[in-house]
mmCIF file of all heavy atoms in Angstrom:
data_model
loop_
_atom_site.group_PDB
_atom_site.id
_atom_site.type_symbol
_atom_site.label_atom_id
_atom_site.label_comp_id
_atom_site.label_asym_id
_atom_site.label_seq_id
_atom_site.Cartn_x
_atom_site.Cartn_y
_atom_site.Cartn_z
ATOM 1 N N TYR A 131 203.004 56.723 -75.209
ATOM 2 C CA TYR A 131 201.831 56.705 -76.091
ATOM 3 C C TYR A 131 200.944 57.889 -75.737
ATOM 4 O O TYR A 131 200.567 58.048 -74.586
ATOM 5 C CB TYR A 131 201.023 55.423 -75.894
ATOM 6 C CG TYR A 131 201.765 54.159 -76.247
ATOM 7 C CD1 TYR A 131 202.324 53.365 -75.256
ATOM 8 C CD2 TYR A 131 201.889 53.760 -77.567
ATOM 9 C CE1 TYR A 131 202.995 52.195 -75.571
ATOM 10 C CE2 TYR A 131 202.562 52.599 -77.889
ATOM 11 C CZ TYR A 131 203.110 51.812 -76.888
ATOM 12 O OH TYR A 131 203.772 50.661 -77.209
ATOM 13 N N GLU A 132 200.635 58.716 -76.710
ATOM 14 C CA GLU A 132 199.770 59.875 -76.453
ATOM 15 C C GLU A 132 198.514 59.770 -77.297
ATOM 16 O O GLU A 132 198.586 59.579 -78.506
ATOM 17 C CB GLU A 132 200.498 61.175 -76.797
ATOM 18 C CG GLU A 132 201.594 61.512 -75.837
ATOM 19 C CD GLU A 132 202.199 62.878 -76.100
ATOM 20 O OE1 GLU A 132 201.616 63.682 -76.853
ATOM 21 O OE2 GLU A 132 203.275 63.138 -75.545
ATOM 22 N N LYS A 133 197.367 59.906 -76.633
ATOM 23 C CA LYS A 133 196.091 59.955 -77.342
ATOM 24 C C LYS A 133 195.966 61.283 -78.061
ATOM 25 O O LYS A 133 196.477 62.296 -77.606
ATOM 26 C CB LYS A 133 194.931 59.820 -76.358
ATOM 27 C CG LYS A 133 194.419 58.440 -76.199
ATOM 28 C CD LYS A 133 193.155 58.433 -75.388
ATOM 29 C CE LYS A 133 192.181 57.542 -76.107
ATOM 30 N NZ LYS A 133 191.032 57.198 -75.336
ATOM 31 N N ILE A 134 195.267 61.257 -79.181
ATOM 32 C CA ILE A 134 194.979 62.485 -79.914
ATOM 33 C C ILE A 134 193.512 62.803 -79.663
ATOM 34 O O ILE A 134 192.652 61.933 -79.788
ATOM 35 C CB ILE A 134 195.217 62.306 -81.430
ATOM 36 C CG1 ILE A 134 196.642 61.845 -81.705
ATOM 37 C CG2 ILE A 134 194.915 63.597 -82.171
ATOM 38 C CD1 ILE A 134 196.889 61.497 -83.155
ATOM 39 N N ASN A 135 193.215 64.033 -79.319
ATOM 40 C CA ASN A 135 191.825 64.439 -79.116
ATOM 41 C C ASN A 135 191.104 64.523 -80.454
ATOM 42 O O ASN A 135 191.693 64.859 -81.476
ATOM 43 C CB ASN A 135 191.767 65.798 -78.419
ATOM 44 C CG ASN A 135 192.298 65.715 -77.008
ATOM 45 O OD1 ASN A 135 192.143 64.717 -76.327
ATOM 46 N ND2 ASN A 135 192.951 66.766 -76.575
ATOM 47 N N ASN A 136 189.821 64.236 -80.427
ATOM 48 C CA ASN A 136 188.955 64.356 -81.600
ATOM 49 C C ASN A 136 189.407 63.512 -82.787
ATOM 50 O O ASN A 136 189.488 64.001 -83.905
ATOM 51 C CB ASN A 136 188.827 65.829 -82.030
ATOM 52 C CG ASN A 136 188.297 66.691 -80.915
ATOM 53 O OD1 ASN A 136 187.382 66.295 -80.193
ATOM 54 N ND2 ASN A 136 188.873 67.864 -80.746
ATOM 55 N N VAL A 137 189.717 62.241 -82.534
ATOM 56 C CA VAL A 137 190.058 61.332 -83.623
ATOM 57 C C VAL A 137 188.901 60.385 -83.872
ATOM 58 O O VAL A 137 188.083 60.130 -82.978
ATOM 59 C CB VAL A 137 191.335 60.511 -83.339
ATOM 60 C CG1 VAL A 137 192.556 61.376 -83.297
ATOM 61 C CG2 VAL A 137 191.203 59.696 -82.089
ATOM 62 N N ARG A 138 188.814 59.882 -85.098
ATOM 63 C CA ARG A 138 187.751 58.935 -85.437
ATOM 64 C C ARG A 138 187.991 57.560 -84.830
ATOM 65 O O ARG A 138 187.061 56.868 -84.473
ATOM 66 C CB ARG A 138 187.654 58.791 -86.951
ATOM 67 C CG ARG A 138 187.086 59.985 -87.611
ATOM 68 C CD ARG A 138 186.927 59.702 -89.060
ATOM 69 N NE ARG A 138 185.653 60.292 -89.452
ATOM 70 C CZ ARG A 138 185.123 60.150 -90.621
ATOM 71 N NH1 ARG A 138 185.716 59.435 -91.545
ATOM 72 N NH2 ARG A 138 183.981 60.720 -90.896
ATOM 73 N N ASP A 139 189.254 57.152 -84.766
ATOM 74 C CA ASP A 139 189.602 55.812 -84.301
ATOM 75 C C ASP A 139 190.232 55.925 -82.911
ATOM 76 O O ASP A 139 191.320 56.478 -82.765
ATOM 77 C CB ASP A 139 190.565 55.160 -85.292
ATOM 78 C CG ASP A 139 190.722 53.668 -85.072
ATOM 79 O OD1 ASP A 139 190.733 53.241 -83.892
ATOM 80 O OD2 ASP A 139 190.839 52.941 -86.065
ATOM 81 N N SER A 140 189.560 55.399 -81.919
ATOM 82 C CA SER A 140 190.017 55.552 -80.531
ATOM 83 C C SER A 140 191.316 54.804 -80.240
ATOM 84 O O SER A 140 191.932 55.031 -79.203
ATOM 85 C CB SER A 140 188.930 55.075 -79.567
ATOM 86 O OG SER A 140 188.694 53.686 -79.734
ATOM 87 N N ARG A 141 191.750 53.942 -81.139
ATOM 88 C CA ARG A 141 193.000 53.203 -80.918
ATOM 89 C C ARG A 141 194.237 54.000 -81.327
ATOM 90 O O ARG A 141 195.358 53.590 -81.065
ATOM 91 C CB ARG A 141 192.990 51.894 -81.716
ATOM 92 C CG ARG A 141 191.856 50.962 -81.312
ATOM 93 C CD ARG A 141 191.734 49.818 -82.275
ATOM 94 N NE ARG A 141 191.394 50.362 -83.600
ATOM 95 C CZ ARG A 141 191.562 49.719 -84.746
ATOM 96 N NH1 ARG A 141 192.062 48.500 -84.746
ATOM 97 N NH2 ARG A 141 191.228 50.272 -85.886
ATOM 98 N N VAL A 142 194.049 55.132 -81.977
ATOM 99 C CA VAL A 142 195.173 55.913 -82.490
ATOM 100 C C VAL A 142 195.931 56.581 -81.340
ATOM 101 O O VAL A 142 195.343 57.216 -80.467
ATOM 102 C CB VAL A 142 194.690 56.979 -83.498
ATOM 103 C CG1 VAL A 142 195.806 57.950 -83.847
ATOM 104 C CG2 VAL A 142 194.151 56.321 -84.748
ATOM 105 N N ARG A 143 197.236 56.415 -81.373
ATOM 106 C CA ARG A 143 198.152 57.084 -80.448
ATOM 107 C C ARG A 143 199.328 57.601 -81.266
ATOM 108 O O ARG A 143 199.580 57.142 -82.369
ATOM 109 C CB ARG A 143 198.717 56.117 -79.398
ATOM 110 C CG ARG A 143 197.698 55.343 -78.590
ATOM 111 C CD ARG A 143 196.988 56.231 -77.581
ATOM 112 N NE ARG A 143 196.178 55.463 -76.665
ATOM 113 C CZ ARG A 143 194.947 55.019 -76.919
ATOM 114 N NH1 ARG A 143 194.386 55.255 -78.084
ATOM 115 N NH2 ARG A 143 194.262 54.336 -76.023
ATOM 116 N N THR A 144 200.050 58.548 -80.708
ATOM 117 C CA THR A 144 201.320 58.930 -81.306
ATOM 118 C C THR A 144 202.420 58.576 -80.325
ATOM 119 O O THR A 144 202.187 58.470 -79.112
ATOM 120 C CB THR A 144 201.403 60.430 -81.655
ATOM 121 O OG1 THR A 144 201.330 61.196 -80.474
ATOM 122 C CG2 THR A 144 200.321 60.831 -82.644
ATOM 123 N N VAL A 145 203.610 58.374 -80.871
ATOM 124 C CA VAL A 145 204.791 58.114 -80.058
ATOM 125 C C VAL A 145 205.904 59.025 -80.547
ATOM 126 O O VAL A 145 205.992 59.331 -81.731
ATOM 127 C CB VAL A 145 205.223 56.627 -80.120
ATOM 128 C CG1 VAL A 145 204.199 55.738 -79.437
ATOM 129 C CG2 VAL A 145 205.448 56.176 -81.547
ATOM 130 N N ARG A 146 206.727 59.463 -79.628
ATOM 131 C CA ARG A 146 207.796 60.402 -79.958
ATOM 132 C C ARG A 146 208.968 59.669 -80.603
ATOM 133 O O ARG A 146 209.493 58.714 -80.041
ATOM 134 C CB ARG A 146 208.270 61.116 -78.702
ATOM 135 C CG ARG A 146 209.407 62.094 -78.969
ATOM 136 C CD ARG A 146 209.769 62.924 -77.766
ATOM 137 N NE ARG A 146 208.692 63.875 -77.515
ATOM 138 C CZ ARG A 146 207.998 63.925 -76.386
ATOM 139 N NH1 ARG A 146 208.260 63.100 -75.405
ATOM 140 N NH2 ARG A 146 207.044 64.808 -76.236
ATOM 141 N N ILE A 147 209.344 60.135 -81.789
ATOM 142 C CA ILE A 147 210.566 59.661 -82.431
ATOM 143 C C ILE A 147 211.724 60.561 -81.997
ATOM 144 O O ILE A 147 212.790 60.091 -81.652
ATOM 145 C CB ILE A 147 210.414 59.654 -83.970
ATOM 146 C CG1 ILE A 147 209.263 58.724 -84.400
ATOM 147 C CG2 ILE A 147 211.723 59.269 -84.639
ATOM 148 C CD1 ILE A 147 209.389 57.280 -83.986
ATOM 149 N N ASP A 148 211.482 61.854 -82.042
ATOM 150 C CA ASP A 148 212.403 62.853 -81.497
ATOM 151 C C ASP A 148 211.594 64.111 -81.223
ATOM 152 O O ASP A 148 210.361 64.074 -81.257
ATOM 153 C CB ASP A 148 213.612 63.085 -82.408
ATOM 154 C CG ASP A 148 213.279 63.710 -83.758
ATOM 155 O OD1 ASP A 148 212.127 64.167 -83.973
ATOM 156 O OD2 ASP A 148 214.170 63.754 -84.620
ATOM 157 N N GLN A 149 212.235 65.219 -80.983
ATOM 158 C CA GLN A 149 211.515 66.454 -80.664
ATOM 159 C C GLN A 149 210.638 66.936 -81.812
ATOM 160 O O GLN A 149 209.651 67.621 -81.590
ATOM 161 C CB GLN A 149 212.495 67.561 -80.278
ATOM 162 C CG GLN A 149 213.208 67.315 -78.960
ATOM 163 C CD GLN A 149 212.252 67.329 -77.794
ATOM 164 O OE1 GLN A 149 211.587 66.332 -77.508
ATOM 165 N NE2 GLN A 149 212.180 68.442 -77.105
ATOM 166 N N GLN A 150 210.985 66.573 -83.036
ATOM 167 C CA GLN A 150 210.276 67.069 -84.219
ATOM 168 C C GLN A 150 209.303 66.054 -84.813
ATOM 169 O O GLN A 150 208.266 66.436 -85.337
ATOM 170 C CB GLN A 150 211.303 67.470 -85.284
ATOM 171 C CG GLN A 150 210.706 68.020 -86.551
ATOM 172 C CD GLN A 150 211.784 68.331 -87.589
ATOM 173 O OE1 GLN A 150 212.961 68.073 -87.390
ATOM 174 N NE2 GLN A 150 211.362 68.873 -88.706
ATOM 175 N N TYR A 151 209.620 64.779 -84.726
ATOM 176 C CA TYR A 151 208.849 63.749 -85.429
ATOM 177 C C TYR A 151 208.068 62.864 -84.478
ATOM 178 O O TYR A 151 208.520 62.561 -83.373
ATOM 179 C CB TYR A 151 209.786 62.885 -86.284
ATOM 180 C CG TYR A 151 210.189 63.574 -87.564
ATOM 181 C CD1 TYR A 151 211.212 64.502 -87.583
ATOM 182 C CD2 TYR A 151 209.519 63.314 -88.752
ATOM 183 C CE1 TYR A 151 211.574 65.156 -88.745
ATOM 184 C CE2 TYR A 151 209.867 63.962 -89.923
ATOM 185 C CZ TYR A 151 210.899 64.884 -89.911
ATOM 186 O OH TYR A 151 211.234 65.527 -91.067
ATOM 187 N N ARG A 152 206.875 62.450 -84.963
ATOM 188 C CA ARG A 152 206.014 61.516 -84.228
ATOM 189 C C ARG A 152 205.626 60.380 -85.163
ATOM 190 O O ARG A 152 205.472 60.588 -86.364
ATOM 191 C CB ARG A 152 204.722 62.193 -83.761
ATOM 192 C CG ARG A 152 204.865 63.428 -82.943
ATOM 193 C CD ARG A 152 205.217 63.252 -81.531
ATOM 194 N NE ARG A 152 204.288 62.450 -80.765
ATOM 195 C CZ ARG A 152 204.497 62.132 -79.497
ATOM 196 N NH1 ARG A 152 205.577 62.549 -78.886
ATOM 197 N NH2 ARG A 152 203.652 61.402 -78.839
ATOM 198 N N ALA A 153 205.457 59.217 -84.614
ATOM 199 C CA ALA A 153 204.894 58.090 -85.350
ATOM 200 C C ALA A 153 203.467 57.896 -84.860
ATOM 201 O O ALA A 153 203.155 58.137 -83.691
ATOM 202 C CB ALA A 153 205.710 56.826 -85.126
ATOM 203 N N VAL A 154 202.611 57.464 -85.755
ATOM 204 C CA VAL A 154 201.222 57.161 -85.422
ATOM 205 C C VAL A 154 201.121 55.642 -85.298
ATOM 206 O O VAL A 154 201.546 54.906 -86.189
ATOM 207 C CB VAL A 154 200.262 57.694 -86.507
ATOM 208 C CG1 VAL A 154 198.817 57.337 -86.167
ATOM 209 C CG2 VAL A 154 200.426 59.200 -86.678
ATOM 210 N N VAL A 155 200.561 55.203 -84.192
ATOM 211 C CA VAL A 155 200.463 53.772 -83.916
ATOM 212 C C VAL A 155 199.037 53.427 -83.507
ATOM 213 O O VAL A 155 198.372 54.204 -82.829
ATOM 214 C CB VAL A 155 201.482 53.356 -82.817
ATOM 215 C CG1 VAL A 155 201.210 54.035 -81.510
ATOM 216 C CG2 VAL A 155 201.548 51.854 -82.642
ATOM 217 N N LEU A 156 198.578 52.265 -83.960
ATOM 218 C CA LEU A 156 197.310 51.730 -83.458
ATOM 219 C C LEU A 156 197.636 50.951 -82.200
ATOM 220 O O LEU A 156 198.415 50.001 -82.226
ATOM 221 C CB LEU A 156 196.651 50.806 -84.485
ATOM 222 C CG LEU A 156 196.169 51.459 -85.759
ATOM 223 C CD1 LEU A 156 195.467 50.416 -86.633
ATOM 224 C CD2 LEU A 156 195.237 52.612 -85.480
ATOM 225 N N HIS A 157 197.055 51.366 -81.118
ATOM 226 C CA HIS A 157 197.263 50.773 -79.800
ATOM 227 C C HIS A 157 196.052 49.880 -79.544
ATOM 228 O O HIS A 157 194.939 50.388 -79.402
ATOM 229 C CB HIS A 157 197.360 51.904 -78.783
ATOM 230 C CG HIS A 157 197.766 51.483 -77.424
ATOM 231 N ND1 HIS A 157 196.907 50.893 -76.537
ATOM 232 C CD2 HIS A 157 198.954 51.590 -76.798
ATOM 233 C CE1 HIS A 157 197.542 50.661 -75.413
ATOM 234 N NE2 HIS A 157 198.785 51.073 -75.541
ATOM 235 N N PRO A 158 196.237 48.569 -79.513
ATOM 236 C CA PRO A 158 195.068 47.684 -79.419
ATOM 237 C C PRO A 158 194.300 47.827 -78.107
ATOM 238 O O PRO A 158 194.897 48.022 -77.054
ATOM 239 C CB PRO A 158 195.670 46.290 -79.545
ATOM 240 C CG PRO A 158 197.077 46.441 -79.076
ATOM 241 C CD PRO A 158 197.500 47.840 -79.456
ATOM 242 N N ASP A 159 192.958 47.735 -78.220
ATOM 243 C CA ASP A 159 192.128 47.712 -77.019
ATOM 244 C C ASP A 159 192.354 46.414 -76.261
ATOM 245 O O ASP A 159 192.371 46.380 -75.041
ATOM 246 C CB ASP A 159 190.650 47.843 -77.380
ATOM 247 C CG ASP A 159 190.321 49.215 -77.953
ATOM 248 O OD1 ASP A 159 190.974 50.203 -77.552
ATOM 249 O OD2 ASP A 159 189.429 49.291 -78.816
ATOM 250 N N ASP A 160 192.489 45.354 -77.013
ATOM 251 C CA ASP A 160 192.859 44.065 -76.440
ATOM 252 C C ASP A 160 193.766 43.378 -77.449
ATOM 253 O O ASP A 160 193.918 43.820 -78.569
ATOM 254 C CB ASP A 160 191.628 43.218 -76.099
ATOM 255 C CG ASP A 160 190.699 43.018 -77.287
ATOM 256 O OD1 ASP A 160 191.093 43.310 -78.427
ATOM 257 O OD2 ASP A 160 189.571 42.571 -77.077
ATOM 258 N N GLY A 161 194.396 42.316 -77.044
ATOM 259 C CA GLY A 161 195.385 41.698 -77.914
ATOM 260 C C GLY A 161 196.713 42.410 -77.767
ATOM 261 O O GLY A 161 196.871 43.320 -76.955
ATOM 262 N N ASP A 162 197.668 41.983 -78.567
ATOM 263 C CA ASP A 162 199.002 42.539 -78.381
ATOM 264 C C ASP A 162 199.728 42.832 -79.694
ATOM 265 O O ASP A 162 200.938 42.760 -79.762
ATOM 266 C CB ASP A 162 199.839 41.623 -77.497
ATOM 267 C CG ASP A 162 199.928 40.202 -78.031
ATOM 268 O OD1 ASP A 162 199.333 39.918 -79.089
ATOM 269 O OD2 ASP A 162 200.597 39.380 -77.390
ATOM 270 N N VAL A 163 198.964 43.206 -80.727
ATOM 271 C CA VAL A 163 199.580 43.619 -81.983
ATOM 272 C C VAL A 163 199.411 45.127 -82.128
ATOM 273 O O VAL A 163 198.294 45.626 -82.225
ATOM 274 C CB VAL A 163 198.971 42.890 -83.200
ATOM 275 C CG1 VAL A 163 199.602 43.398 -84.489
ATOM 276 C CG2 VAL A 163 199.165 41.378 -83.072
ATOM 277 N N TYR A 164 200.526 45.828 -82.091
ATOM 278 C CA TYR A 164 200.566 47.266 -82.295
ATOM 279 C C TYR A 164 200.948 47.494 -83.755
ATOM 280 O O TYR A 164 201.761 46.753 -84.303
ATOM 281 C CB TYR A 164 201.620 47.911 -81.402
ATOM 282 C CG TYR A 164 201.308 47.807 -79.924
ATOM 283 C CD1 TYR A 164 201.416 46.590 -79.257
ATOM 284 C CD2 TYR A 164 200.927 48.924 -79.205
ATOM 285 C CE1 TYR A 164 201.142 46.492 -77.902
ATOM 286 C CE2 TYR A 164 200.651 48.839 -77.846
ATOM 287 C CZ TYR A 164 200.762 47.618 -77.202
ATOM 288 O OH TYR A 164 200.486 47.518 -75.871
ATOM 289 N N VAL A 165 200.379 48.527 -84.379
ATOM 290 C CA VAL A 165 200.635 48.755 -85.796
ATOM 291 C C VAL A 165 201.105 50.193 -86.014
ATOM 292 O O VAL A 165 200.375 51.136 -85.708
ATOM 293 C CB VAL A 165 199.375 48.490 -86.650
ATOM 294 C CG1 VAL A 165 199.694 48.646 -88.133
ATOM 295 C CG2 VAL A 165 198.799 47.100 -86.375
ATOM 296 N N LEU A 166 202.311 50.333 -86.552
ATOM 297 C CA LEU A 166 202.808 51.644 -86.958
ATOM 298 C C LEU A 166 202.180 51.972 -88.299
ATOM 299 O O LEU A 166 202.315 51.201 -89.259
ATOM 300 C CB LEU A 166 204.336 51.634 -87.075
ATOM 301 C CG LEU A 166 205.095 51.589 -85.754
ATOM 302 C CD1 LEU A 166 206.569 51.296 -85.984
ATOM 303 C CD2 LEU A 166 204.928 52.898 -85.003
ATOM 304 N N VAL A 167 201.473 53.096 -88.389
ATOM 305 C CA VAL A 167 200.736 53.426 -89.610
ATOM 306 C C VAL A 167 201.254 54.670 -90.323
ATOM 307 O O VAL A 167 200.967 54.870 -91.507
ATOM 308 C CB VAL A 167 199.216 53.561 -89.344
ATOM 309 C CG1 VAL A 167 198.628 52.217 -88.934
ATOM 310 C CG2 VAL A 167 198.912 54.613 -88.301
ATOM 311 N N TRP A 168 202.018 55.547 -89.634
ATOM 312 C CA TRP A 168 202.494 56.776 -90.274
ATOM 313 C C TRP A 168 203.614 57.373 -89.441
ATOM 314 O O TRP A 168 203.666 57.160 -88.232
ATOM 315 C CB TRP A 168 201.356 57.793 -90.391
ATOM 316 C CG TRP A 168 201.658 58.942 -91.296
ATOM 317 C CD1 TRP A 168 201.932 60.235 -90.910
ATOM 318 C CD2 TRP A 168 201.715 58.935 -92.708
ATOM 319 N NE1 TRP A 168 202.153 61.009 -92.021
ATOM 320 C CE2 TRP A 168 202.020 60.231 -93.150
ATOM 321 C CE3 TRP A 168 201.544 57.937 -93.677
ATOM 322 C CZ2 TRP A 168 202.167 60.571 -94.486
ATOM 323 C CZ3 TRP A 168 201.674 58.279 -95.006
ATOM 324 C CH2 TRP A 168 201.981 59.571 -95.400
ATOM 325 N N VAL A 169 204.473 58.137 -90.070
ATOM 326 C CA VAL A 169 205.496 58.909 -89.366
ATOM 327 C C VAL A 169 205.690 60.213 -90.127
ATOM 328 O O VAL A 169 205.694 60.233 -91.353
ATOM 329 C CB VAL A 169 206.821 58.120 -89.217
ATOM 330 C CG1 VAL A 169 207.449 57.794 -90.559
ATOM 331 C CG2 VAL A 169 207.800 58.837 -88.306
ATOM 332 N N ASP A 170 205.802 61.315 -89.364
ATOM 333 C CA ASP A 170 205.889 62.630 -90.002
ATOM 334 C C ASP A 170 206.278 63.654 -88.942
ATOM 335 O O ASP A 170 206.402 63.320 -87.761
ATOM 336 C CB ASP A 170 204.529 62.996 -90.598
ATOM 337 C CG ASP A 170 204.615 63.907 -91.813
ATOM 338 O OD1 ASP A 170 205.599 64.671 -91.932
ATOM 339 O OD2 ASP A 170 203.688 63.865 -92.633
ATOM 340 N N ASN A 171 206.416 64.908 -89.373
ATOM 341 C CA ASN A 171 206.571 66.011 -88.429
ATOM 342 C C ASN A 171 205.391 65.974 -87.459
ATOM 343 O O ASN A 171 204.296 65.511 -87.815
ATOM 344 C CB ASN A 171 206.570 67.352 -89.162
ATOM 345 C CG ASN A 171 207.879 67.642 -89.836
ATOM 346 O OD1 ASN A 171 208.916 67.719 -89.182
ATOM 347 N ND2 ASN A 171 207.843 67.785 -91.140
ATOM 348 N N HIS A 172 205.597 66.467 -86.270
ATOM 349 C CA HIS A 172 204.595 66.396 -85.212
ATOM 350 C C HIS A 172 203.206 66.821 -85.679
ATOM 351 O O HIS A 172 202.250 66.037 -85.620
ATOM 352 C CB HIS A 172 205.044 67.258 -84.030
ATOM 353 C CG HIS A 172 204.100 67.233 -82.885
ATOM 354 N ND1 HIS A 172 202.961 68.000 -82.851
ATOM 355 C CD2 HIS A 172 204.125 66.528 -81.728
ATOM 356 C CE1 HIS A 172 202.316 67.775 -81.725
ATOM 357 N NE2 HIS A 172 203.008 66.894 -81.018
ATOM 358 N N ASP A 173 203.047 68.051 -86.147
ATOM 359 C CA ASP A 173 201.721 68.560 -86.505
ATOM 360 C C ASP A 173 201.119 67.814 -87.694
ATOM 361 O O ASP A 173 199.917 67.539 -87.715
ATOM 362 C CB ASP A 173 201.777 70.057 -86.808
ATOM 363 C CG ASP A 173 202.101 70.886 -85.567
ATOM 364 O OD1 ASP A 173 201.990 70.356 -84.441
ATOM 365 O OD2 ASP A 173 202.465 72.061 -85.729
ATOM 366 N N GLU A 174 201.944 67.481 -88.668
ATOM 367 C CA GLU A 174 201.455 66.760 -89.839
ATOM 368 C C GLU A 174 201.006 65.345 -89.472
ATOM 369 O O GLU A 174 200.007 64.848 -89.985
ATOM 370 C CB GLU A 174 202.526 66.716 -90.942
ATOM 371 C CG GLU A 174 202.746 68.046 -91.630
ATOM 372 C CD GLU A 174 203.683 68.993 -90.881
ATOM 373 O OE1 GLU A 174 204.063 68.716 -89.724
ATOM 374 O OE2 GLU A 174 204.017 70.043 -91.465
ATOM 375 N N ALA A 175 201.733 64.706 -88.574
ATOM 376 C CA ALA A 175 201.340 63.367 -88.125
ATOM 377 C C ALA A 175 199.999 63.411 -87.404
ATOM 378 O O ALA A 175 199.129 62.558 -87.628
ATOM 379 C CB ALA A 175 202.419 62.772 -87.218
ATOM 380 N N MET A 176 199.811 64.401 -86.566
ATOM 381 C CA MET A 176 198.543 64.550 -85.838
ATOM 382 C C MET A 176 197.395 64.797 -86.812
ATOM 383 O O MET A 176 196.339 64.185 -86.699
ATOM 384 C CB MET A 176 198.632 65.700 -84.843
ATOM 385 C CG MET A 176 199.738 65.556 -83.836
ATOM 386 S SD MET A 176 199.402 64.311 -82.630
ATOM 387 C CE MET A 176 199.171 65.332 -81.212
#
């Protein structure tokens, strides 16, 4: 899980799908429901 700098939502993380693609996931502050919200090329996902 990688944090993105300068994001509006502090729960946003990216995860590596492969060298080119990242998925965007909401990483809960508490609780245990993670939400995949987007997948794209690395820079576009960020």
Side-chain angles (χ1 to χ4, degrees):
Y131 297 101
E132 289 187 14
K133 265 189 134 167
I134 303 173
N135 293 326
N136 303 319
V137 293
R138 288 185 140 186
D139 194 322
S140 64
R141 299 170 297 161
V142 170
R143 305 287 189 278
T144 64
V145 292
R146 179 173 289 120
I147 300 301
D148 66 10
Q149 292 295 82
Q150 181 183 4
Y151 282 82
R152 305 282 301 176
V154 178
V155 63
L156 293 183
H157 188 282
D159 293 328
D160 55 13
D162 56 0
V163 177
Y164 294 72
V165 184
L166 287 168
V167 294
W168 193 253
V169 63
D170 209 333
N171 283 300
H172 181 279
D173 293 344
E174 288 83 351
M176 302 288 249

